[in-house]
Amino acid sequence: MKYNLKKLAELVDGQLQGTNIEIDGVGGADNAAKTEISFAQNQEYLDLALANAGAVLITEDLAADEIETPVIIVENPRLAFSKIAHKFTTQPYQSFNIADEAVISDTAQLGSEVSIHPGVVIADGAQIGDEVILAPGVYVGQDVSIGEGTILYPNVTVERGSQIGSDVEINSGAVIGSEGFGFEEEEEGYVKVPQFGNVVIEDDVEIGANVTIDRGATGSTTIGRSTKIDNLVHIAHNVEIGPECLIIAQVGIAGSAKVERKVTLAGKSGVVGHITIGENTTVAANSTVTHDLEAESFVSGYPAHDHRQERRTKAARKKLPEMLKRIRKLEKRIEELEE
Amino acid sequence: MKYNLKKLAELVDGQLQGTNIEIDGVGGADNAAKTEISFAQNQEYLDLALANAGAVLITEDLAADEIETPVIIVENPRLAFSKIAHKFTTQPYQSFNIADEAVISDTAQLGSEVSIHPGVVIADGAQIGDEVILAPGVYVGQDVSIGEGTILYPNVTVERGSQIGSDVEINSGAVIGSEGFGFEEEEEGYVKVPQFGNVVIEDDVEIGANVTIDRGATGSTTIGRSTKIDNLVHIAHNVEIGPECLIIAQVGIAGSAKVERKVTLAGKSGVVGHITIGENTTVAANSTVTHDLEAESFVSGYPAHDHRQERRTKAARKKLPEMLKRIRKLEKRIEELEE
Amino acid sequence: MKYNLKKLAELVDGQLQGTNIEIDGVGGADNAAKTEISFAQNQEYLDLALANAGAVLITEDLAADEIETPVIIVENPRLAFSKIAHKFTTQPYQSFNIADEAVISDTAQLGSEVSIHPGVVIADGAQIGDEVILAPGVYVGQDVSIGEGTILYPNVTVERGSQIGSDVEINSGAVIGSEGFGFEEEEEGYVKVPQFGNVVIEDDVEIGANVTIDRGATGSTTIGRSTKIDNLVHIAHNVEIGPECLIIAQVGIAGSAKVERKVTLAGKSGVVGHITIGENTTVAANSTVTHDLEAESFVSGYPAHDHRQERRTKAARKKLPEMLKRIRKLEKRIEELEE
């Protein structure tokens, strides 16, 4: 595949400066070939890229008349680079082939141009959209539906009734639709509360490796459009996550919590059950959210509260041993004065 | 399957009020059919359930003469509902079939009415009890024993020598019997301490998705009867967990720690190695237990200590920047007085 | 297999005291047989071992003339025991056989004496070294290389381009080379930053169950020689971990962080992106490292700082409610004085 730079500039809303050469791939500033395009966000990377690449995506302030290599001027070079990269790269595991060593139910429906690898098992009533890719060892449960262009990496498990949108990526070992954690106490032990619900994942979601998303008890656990979930995240039953959220690695979200649009939960943070986090909120790393948060919040700590206040508290906290000493001294001095 | 309400009332130790109709299933207050039974714990849910369901499980204080729909009065409606639900639902993956695409050692012993799905591998000497269900991609190691009625969801790994009781549920991707983390330092690198032991899981345990339980170094790592473990929990070698514990998501328990009966470890909490947590103790979310805890403790923080004290400390902590100011003022005032 | 004690003493640089009997295995102090060797680090375990084992590895201070059982005196009995144990035990899953139920690409290269179990899938261009063991359900991606003597436990996933050294152990469910978490914001949603890089794991590394290691964006995510990683650890793209580190369970390391030689990260600790942790540093459990750390640091807390200082702060923190009271009293007393 080849594209000329004019075409690529159009794709990324950029302005070409220099010769309209043909490009056959993308590469890092340090390793791009002369027929490839790279990108630079600062002078250091630009120098590197100019030494290697055939063309470079840059910001306006990096543009200079001395540059002989063709450049495309854009607002966000990394974004532009990412878009162009997707033009040149094919999805991994895209074989357009159904392996003999896959086990597919007669009642499952397969779209066109699917790629199904050895060791895949597809249960009754599953619906697999066009151009779906199922890597080795993937399990697709009963009545699961998967939208077009979605890729499931090796050893992903999708339990019965899950609904997965289009252009979703689910990394290896993730479990979609595991049993929710609900028990009622008895005299000796517990009775499991039946988990009748399912998981609904909207379009363009990415889910990290070894993530676990429990099915709803009744109703659904839902992940909104374009939300991105990093590795080893836990999402409990009946959680609702809005669109365009960023959920970083090792976050845990307890049952029936609601996370609105464009929330960022930084690594290892936790959210207790049955609360709502308003849209555009950011929760700092390793924080624990224990109550509702308004939209546009920026919180940290445990319990998570206003981040600037938490920073002041943390700064003061360091002075604690010193404060203790100062209080002791004050007590002595006042005693002397009182006498 | 159908049961009349009198029969169901007996099952849950409840009192039927209204016509003894036949019921063929269970449903949520919002979606139960007229031939199904639902439950309600408050008036809002009762109204919903009465509009949909054929019968409702309720507490005594919700009972009223005006209710025309048959109701069963019980102490704990959700518990009663859960018990009845299990009467109507069949286990997922219960096929009563051994798939051609499973690989089963000649020396493995299979009980009656087992369900073994494609991609299952069973190693030498394994003993699989009656009505055991092994979902696609499950691996059962050498000399593993699995008690009757136990279900292993897709892609579960059970390593050599593990002993799993009856009516156990293990969710997808869980690893039972991985190598313990034990190394001795050498001049250059480490020598692994051999991990000879195994994992013993008693009856009625539930284990969440992508949980990891390491085998004992020598002896066993043990999980007691009816203990419930949520997703992504880590249990190190030679940990002993008593019966009826609740271990919530992303908890980590270090080597040789002992957790006694009916302990609750809330989400993301951690337990260091070689300590004992007394029975009926509750550890709050994201706490770190660093020393032995007496029975009936309720702790939080890091290091985890009395929860009420920790709450007071947390409340005072918020005033730290203010305290610092007040100390400064006091110092000034006393200086003036001293002059 | 049998070795006499003289031979074993040589192996571990120890001094034999007593008869040079033959030994056919190893065992714990409580369960070793009369033909096996055990070890003891204190008198209690020595008494136990003497009652059971045929020979015991002990430290010099435990040696005594009354002991009739042959002993080998060494500096570190557990280290010596571990070395001897490896002489007697064979690797699990070492079948020296290639299962019919494995799916192996024609373009993959297999070394000699490999053990490849049912359900294994090996993609195009993979290179499998001598004596490599691939347990059931393992996936080896395109152009992956695996050095000799390495063992991959069940259901491990190794994504395309990963390079794994010799004598590496990777526990069940671990994912090597998952997609890095990199996105650029657009008006509606995100564009994924392509993740072109790979994972490089050096010799003698051990990786725990359900660990996730992301591939580099460009370049590699690297794990140094002899580093040991416990269960459920997350390592993001382009992280560089030096040799001989100990990374305990549930640690998370964000993108492009650098962890130098012989660093210990205790359980649940976290490291933010793009920082460097100097060699020989120890990070206490559940701490969050937010900035560069010099070599030989010992830190705890969030943000992680000097551990002794953090201990003092934690001790003072407990006195916070009391400090608040003392400040109030001081204010009253000074008011009275001022009047």
Side-chain angles (χ1 to χ4, degrees), chain C residues 138-158:
Chain C
V138 163
Y139 172 70
V140 177
Q142 212 173 311
D143 298 323
V144 165
S145 68
I146 301 181
E148 56 181 282
T150 286
I151 174 170
L152 274 54
Y153 284 87
N155 293 324
V156 163
T157 298
V158 183

Side-chain angles (χ1 to χ4, degrees), chain B residues 57-114:
Chain B
L57 293 150
I58 59 171
T59 50
E60 190 153 20
D61 59 300
L62 287 176
D65 292 342
E66 309 90 70
I67 301 180
E68 283 170 20
T69 304
V71 295
I72 298 175
I73 298 165
V74 292
E75 248 180 74
N76 181 343
R78 181 181 275 121
L79 172 61
F81 178 78
S82 300
K83 280 182 175 172
I84 290 173
H86 290 293
K87 279 274 169 202
F88 287 109
T89 48
T90 54
Q91 286 275 51
Y93 302 101
Q94 190 147 35
S95 64
F96 300 115
N97 181 44
I98 299 174
D100 293 340
E101 300 88 352
V103 180
I104 303 174
S105 160
D106 293 342
T107 63
Q109 290 175 33
L110 305 186
S112 64
E113 302 196 320
V114 296

Side-chain angles (χ1 to χ4, degrees), chain C residues 78-315:
Chain C
R78 180 180 278 121
L79 172 61
F81 178 78
S82 300
K83 281 182 174 172
I84 289 172
H86 292 292
K87 279 275 170 203
F88 286 109
T89 49
T90 55
Q91 286 276 51
Y93 302 101
Q94 190 146 36
S95 64
F96 300 114
N97 181 43
I98 298 173
D100 293 339
E101 301 89 352
V103 180
I104 303 173
S105 160
D106 292 343
T107 62
Q109 290 175 32
L110 305 185
S112 64
E113 302 197 320
V114 297
S115 305
I116 300 181
H117 285 258
V120 167
V121 176
I122 303 178
D124 297 347
Q127 294 186 305
I128 310 295
D130 298 347
E131 292 188 54
V132 163
I133 299 169
L134 304 178
V138 163
Y139 172 70
V140 177
Q142 212 173 311
D143 298 323
V144 165
S145 68
I146 301 181
E148 56 181 282
T150 286
I151 174 170
L152 274 54
Y153 284 87
N155 293 324
V156 163
T157 298
V158 183
E159 292 279 6
R160 64 193 183 283
S162 302
Q163 294 169 18
I164 299 177
S166 300
D167 298 316
V168 170
E169 283 198 43
I170 305 184
N171 274 274
S172 295
V175 177
I176 311 301
S178 34
E179 298 292 299
F181 196 75
F183 303 93
E184 284 294 314
E185 212 174 327
E186 269 203 308
E187 260 161 76
E188 286 221 359
Y190 303 91
V191 173
K192 179 172 172 174
V193 178
Q195 305 291 311
F196 293 131
N198 71 343
V199 174
V200 175
I201 296 175
E202 294 181 6
D203 297 348
D204 196 33
V205 166
E206 178 154 346
I207 292 175
N210 285 342
V211 162
T212 64
I213 305 180
D214 283 351
R215 62 196 314 102
T218 59
S220 302
T221 305
T222 57
I223 315 291
R225 183 190 49 76
S226 280
T227 281
K228 309 297 179 184
I229 301 176
D230 203 352
N231 297 342
L232 291 169
V233 166
H234 163 68
I235 297 175
H237 51 186
N238 293 101
V239 167
E240 293 176 45
I241 298 183
E244 298 176 47
C245 293
L246 297 174
I247 317 279
I248 315 301
Q250 295 175 320
V251 162
I253 306 179
S256 300
K258 203 172 162 182
V259 177
E260 293 184 347
R261 187 179 157 276
K262 238 177 159 58
V263 165
T264 297
L265 301 176
K268 285 182 181 288
S269 56
V271 177
V272 307
H274 296 276
I275 65 171
T276 297
I277 299 187
E279 66 174 31
N280 276 310
T281 287
T282 296
V283 176
N286 210 358
S287 307
T288 305
V289 185
T290 59
H291 51 265
D292 288 354
L293 292 177
E294 282 178 18
E296 318 282 340
S297 300
F298 181 13
V299 299
S300 61
Y302 175 19
H305 60 147
D306 179 68
H307 181 63
R308 269 170 312 178
Q309 191 187 327
E310 174 68 13
R311 286 192 71 159
R312 276 195 299 269
T313 305
K314 276 202 167 131

